[in-house]
Amino acid sequence: MSGAIEVFVPRDAAALAVGAEEVARAIAAEAARRNLPVKLVRTGSRGLFWLEPLVEVATARGRVGYGPASAADVPGLFDAGFLDGKAHALHLGPVEKIPYLARQTRLTFARCGIVDPLSLDAYRAQGGLKGLERALKLGPAETVEEVIRSGLRGRGGAGFPTGIKWKTVREAAGAPKYVVCNADEGDSGTFADRMIMEGDPFCLIEGMAIAAIATGANQGFVYIRSEYPHAIRTMTEALRLARAAGILGRNIAGSGHDFDIEVRSGAGAYVCGEETSMLDSIEGKRGLVRAKPPLPAHHGLFGKPTVINNLISLASVPVILAEGAKAYADFGMGRSRGTMPIQLAGNVKFGGVFEAAFGLTLGEIVDDIGGGTASGRPVRAVQAGGPLGAYFPRALFDTPYDYEAFAQRDGLIGHGGLVVFDDTVDMAHQARFAMKFCAFESCGKCTPCRVGSTRGMEVIDRIVKGERREENMTLLKDLCQTLKFGSLCALGGFTPYPVMSALNHFPEDFRRAPSGLAAE
Amino acid sequence: MANPGHWDKERTAEIIAAHRDEPGALLPILHDIQAAFRHIPREAMVMIAEALNLSRAEIHGVVSFYHDFREQPAGRHVLKLCQAEACQSMGGERLAADLLKKLGLDWGGTTKEGALTVEPVYCLGLCATAPSAILDDDRVVGRLDGTKLAALAEEARQA
Ligand SMILES: Cc1cc2nc3c(=O)[nH]c(=O)nc-3n(C[C@H](O)[C@H](O)[C@H](O)COP(=O)(O)O)c2cc1C
Ligand code: SF4
């Protein structure tokens, strides 16, 4: 292989969705035709999606990028001398210096887009497995303390301290214990879990192994939504490789501890992202939400003590252990410590993952980093935290990205997604969609969620049509109160966030002169 | 398998045998059954119920709970168009409405020759390359516009 020039093309699903496979094939064909020694490496994505497919070439000046490239651009790239990092219309210079990337604090995403996701050698060479080594030296109790000290809070939505959860499982009686990774990633506008599974799966495996040793668990599950076939394949293959290398299986990494992980595929139910519903789903049942207590930490999968964490929570543990709790906790603000992979999505110019310390304002993220809308029209609303999250108007763009600051404004950070809308958005339609989604995805246990959501759709339709508006507005607000207080989980309980934020911040959209347009 | 829409008892037995000893075997079995027969045939539910010592009602309860599982076979190809918020912000609803109209279908409908079923999906994690879709639960496409989508649907109908 000596002398071969390394060319990197992502195999991340979003890159594939815009033609990365065709680009990779064209590069291989063109190199063969010109008899040039090229070694194609398939990576995850850097998360700069407006530049995908992003091709990188290893040069003496580091990795130089070209994008967004199409297969048709490939002969021209060769002609221009891209293998030497030379100029071309798509030339982006050294990738690490692209401001969007240079401004980030990549801790959890340190390797994503850089390495071949299925090369353990590359993983090790880029600092992989150092966290596990340190955890083995510290021992289980001290490992849990280290995670507590890091201030890491659950990245799945609720923001519960991860270390405290682990401590509860560690101290719980009962065997076997389980570690479940929540990779259901149901929120529209989020893709961080998917990117790690497709771009750095060993990082998750390492995080889960640390969790297992710290809590005394012997079996793990990664529950991946079925809408992620590429992630399921890459994760399955990574598990096989980790098993072959002794990182999973008996006596993992020489620890004396046995631990293995299995992939389970979801089946298209949003509610199965809720942790107790997920446990039922893994057990082979309908994904009904369980009342808490008992907590999964005491009475979880198959009735046994279970750690259930979001994928990003688990994938953040290796770097916390490797660099130390303090290094991680030094980032952030208030009670939001460390970094968050913020996901900029929807109608945004620079869509992608932006991992940063907590504390940037929403406006900085959307206008400055995201560059405003893709359509070039003004930004009107941003939905933060998925389908159960509030719509923020520009007037609230001074809100710092912090769990508590968002909560104070009746919003939530959730899993870190931000969906940007331009001024063509109809907020009454968005409120109606929130109700529709709740009705469609309800597990059916609570009447307000199951029935009230359909009712909510009808009430919004009447408001839009101009039928007894004031009366129906009051009815909608009452319905939201009932949902909020009469629901067992956040599907019913938080649907009022998008609905009420639309109504409160964009009342004009509910009071337009009725047009002939149906809301559908 | 000559005809993937058709139920095959032996294949069903193989799938059940491959998973029955796993804890929580039902979902993995159902996924494999659907991959083999493009739906969950009633005959398969009977065999699964027997093997897992569950009632047929319980199996049916699970099949009907999850949006992925279907009791009637879909067309030869299934095109799922993302209708969640990120794709909405980029015109995904209009795009879908136009395609459905063009094909003369409602959501979940199948073209007359049985080639293509069109369904909504709520997020593919391709939210920064919206609007997005997935063909046959495998081929992902992003930055869709009317022309690209129509070409994709046509390609699937011909294939
Ligand atoms: C309806 C609903 C859907 C959820 N979906 C997800 C999801 O897709 N991914 C996730 O990590 N957490 C999701 N959650 C949150 C989980 O219930 C749980 O809080 C999380 O898995 C805990 O992990 P963490 O502490 O690491 O965040 C959801 C919650 C609800 C109520
Ligand atoms: S709020 Fe809805 S989804 Fe949650 S438990 Fe109740 S019925 Fe189920």
Side-chain angles (χ1 to χ4, degrees):
Chain A
M1 207 55 79
S2 72
I5 301 166
E6 283 185 314
V7 177
F8 304 85
V9 181
R11 45 177 284 177
D12 173 280
L16 298 178
V18 293
E21 194 60 44
E22 291 76 8
V23 170
R25 260 190 254 131
I27 291 173
E30 197 65 21
R33 199 172 69 76
R34 298 180 189 226
N35 211 1
L36 291 168
V38 164
K39 183 189 172 202
L40 254 186
V41 181
R42 303 304 297 272
T43 61
S45 172
R46 297 267 195 173
L48 282 56
F49 287 115
W50 76 98
L51 295 176
E52 292 291 1
L54 171 58
V55 175
E56 298 181 28
V57 182
T59 74
R61 294 180 295 141
R63 277 159 69 159
V64 173
Y66 298 84
S70 70
D73 294 319
V74 168
L77 283 168
F78 275 89
D79 290 341
F82 89 121
L83 291 179
D84 300 312
K86 292 207 179 124
H88 181 276
L90 301 176
H91 180 260
L92 301 162
V95 177
E96 310 275 347
K97 296 219 169 78
I98 298 173
Y100 195 90
L101 205 50
R103 287 174 69 182
Q104 299 193 34
T105 303
R106 288 234 162 161
L107 303 181
T108 308
F109 276 76
R111 280 172 297 265
C112 192
I114 297 177
V115 295
D116 171 351
L118 293 175
S119 164
L120 257 173
D121 289 339
Y123 185 66
R124 280 203 190 85
Q126 296 280 338
L129 297 176
K130 289 218 172 80
L132 179 58
E133 276 164 32
R134 174 132 183 278
L136 290 176
K137 271 190 214 123
L138 289 176
E142 214 13 63
T143 298
V144 170
E145 288 307 317
E146 190 74 351
V147 176
I148 293 175
R149 278 193 293 268
S150 76
L152 176 66
R153 293 165 70 177
R155 303 298 191 225
F160 187 82
T162 302
I164 305 284
K165 191 182 274 187
W166 290 19
K167 195 180 166 108
T168 311
V169 176
R170 180 173 155 65
E171 289 166 356
K177 294 179 182 177
Y178 295 99
V179 176
V180 174
C181 168
N182 186 339
D184 201 48
E185 197 157 68
D187 294 356
S188 175
T190 67
F191 38 78
D193 297 351
R194 183 183 63 66
M195 286 180 66
I196 292 290
M197 289 188 278
E198 295 173 5
D200 195 14
F202 294 124
C203 180
L204 172 62
I205 294 172
E206 183 178 352
M208 288 180 75
I210 294 169
I213 292 171
T215 59
N218 296 108
Q219 179 63 45
F221 289 92
V222 186
Y223 187 98
I224 309 175
R225 71 200 327 260
S226 60
E227 293 84 350
Y228 283 2
H230 301 84
I232 290 173
R233 280 199 290 270
T234 307
M235 205 62 232
T236 304
E237 180 60 12
L239 289 172
R240 193 186 65 76
L241 294 170
R243 231 170 264 133
I247 296 164
L248 292 175
R250 295 217 169 276
N251 183 23
I252 60 171
S255 62
H257 189 92
D258 300 342
F259 181 61
D260 211 329
I261 303 174
E262 204 181 295
V263 167
R264 284 295 167 94
S265 166
Y270 177 77
V271 74
C272 287
E274 194 282 335
E275 55 189 15
T276 61
S277 162
M278 177 169 292
L279 298 177
D280 271 16
S281 185
I282 297 174
E283 290 178 12
K285 306 176 194 151
R286 290 183 293 157
L288 296 186
V289 173
R290 305 177 184 171
K292 284 185 273 192
L295 294 173
H298 293 126
H299 194 90
L301 190 60
F302 302 110
K304 302 297 180 187
T306 301
V307 173
I308 176 160
N309 273 126
N310 171 252
L311 186 145
I312 298 298
S313 314
L314 290 163
S316 298
V317 166
V319 69
I320 288 170
L321 267 296
E323 304 296 325
K326 186 172 179 303
Y328 190 78
D330 280 348
F331 292 103
M333 70 174 275
R335 295 203 295 119
S336 305
R337 310 312 315 174
T339 60
M340 183 75 181
I342 298 166
Q343 297 134 80
L344 276 155
N347 195 341
V348 63
K349 192 166 178 196
F350 304 128
V353 70
F354 193 91
E355 184 176 354
F358 288 93
L360 291 164
T361 67
L362 183 56
E364 281 174 301
I365 298 167
V366 172
D367 290 336
D368 190 16
I369 295 162
T373 63
S375 62
R377 303 182 66 95
V379 174
R380 180 145 184 257
V382 176
Q383 188 178 27
L388 309 174
Y391 285 96
F392 281 73
R394 295 200 64 93
L396 297 182
F397 271 21
D398 61 340
T399 313
Y401 207 77
D402 161 79
Y403 290 100
E404 280 67 38
F406 265 58
Q408 259 172 31
R409 294 191 153 169
D410 288 327
L412 48 104
I413 281 181
H415 182 49
L418 294 174
V419 178
V420 180
F421 291 81
D422 72 13
D423 62 350
T424 61
V425 67
D426 172 355
M427 295 306 296
H429 180 77
Q430 297 311 118
R432 185 186 193 275
F433 175 76
M435 288 291 192
K436 179 176 154 186
F437 188 74
C438 180
F440 184 64
E441 298 292 357
S442 172
C443 86
K445 255 196 176 173
C446 323
T447 315
C449 173
R450 191 182 66 238
V451 181
S453 48
T454 305
R455 199 69 212 292
M457 266 159 68
E458 295 160 2
V459 172
I460 294 171
D461 284 346
R462 274 186 234 122
I463 294 171
V464 170
K465 280 193 212 133
E467 285 176 31
R468 286 174 308 184
R469 264 195 179 140
E470 297 318 309
E471 207 178 298
N472 278 309
M473 291 275 194
T474 309
L475 194 57
L476 182 60
K477 286 174 198 165
D478 287 349
L479 252 174
C480 282
Q481 285 296 310
T482 311
L483 272 171
K484 197 164 171 180
F485 297 105
S487 300
L488 187 56
C489 86
L491 182 52
F494 286 9
T495 292
Y497 277 127
V499 175
M500 290 308 296
S501 59
L503 190 57
N504 290 333
H505 302 309
F506 307 91
E508 62 277 19
D509 286 17
F510 294 77
R511 296 181 183 282
R512 289 210 184 105
S515 67
L517 267 173
E520 207 30 290
Chain B
M1 231 173 320
N3 186 342
H6 264 258
W7 184 62
D8 171 333
K9 186 171 180 181
E10 263 149 57
R11 182 79 193 102
T12 304
E14 272 169 35
I15 290 169
I16 294 173
H19 293 289
R20 67 181 297 165
D21 296 329
E22 292 169 18
L26 182 53
L27 260 69
I29 290 175
L30 292 176
H31 274 299
D32 285 3
I33 295 277
Q34 180 150 308
F37 310 120
R38 286 197 275 143
H39 73 302
I40 313 285
R42 289 180 51 158
E43 299 89 330
M45 287 194 229
V46 174
M47 284 176 70
I48 299 167
E50 226 160 76
L52 299 186
N53 214 357
L54 294 166
S55 73
R56 275 152 69 178
E58 280 170 295
I59 307 284
H60 187 260
V62 171
V63 170
S64 59
F65 180 85
Y66 293 97
H67 301 310
D68 277 3
F69 299 133
R70 48 177 114 247
E71 294 178 56
Q72 302 299 326
R76 282 200 308 284
H77 299 282
V78 178
L79 179 61
K80 294 182 181 169
L81 305 176
C82 182
Q83 296 294 288
E85 292 89 335
C87 286
Q88 289 169 13
S89 77
M90 291 296 281
E93 289 168 310
R94 167 65 42 192
L95 204 61
D98 288 348
L99 181 73
L100 289 171
K101 192 169 162 210
K102 208 170 143 207
L103 297 176
L105 298 179
D106 282 328
W107 282 121
T110 301
T111 53
K112 268 199 232 81
E113 73 286 12
L116 183 66
T117 302
V118 183
E119 294 183 340
V121 62
Y122 294 93
C123 200
L124 297 165
L126 309 173
C127 321
T129 51
S132 311
I134 188 166
L135 183 65
D136 295 334
D137 292 323
D138 185 52
R139 183 164 147 207
V140 284
V141 279
R143 291 184 198 141
L144 279 169
D145 56 27
T147 316
K148 268 196 193 169
L149 185 58
L152 184 70
E154 195 46 39
E155 186 195 317
R157 285 176 75 181
Q158 301 302 327

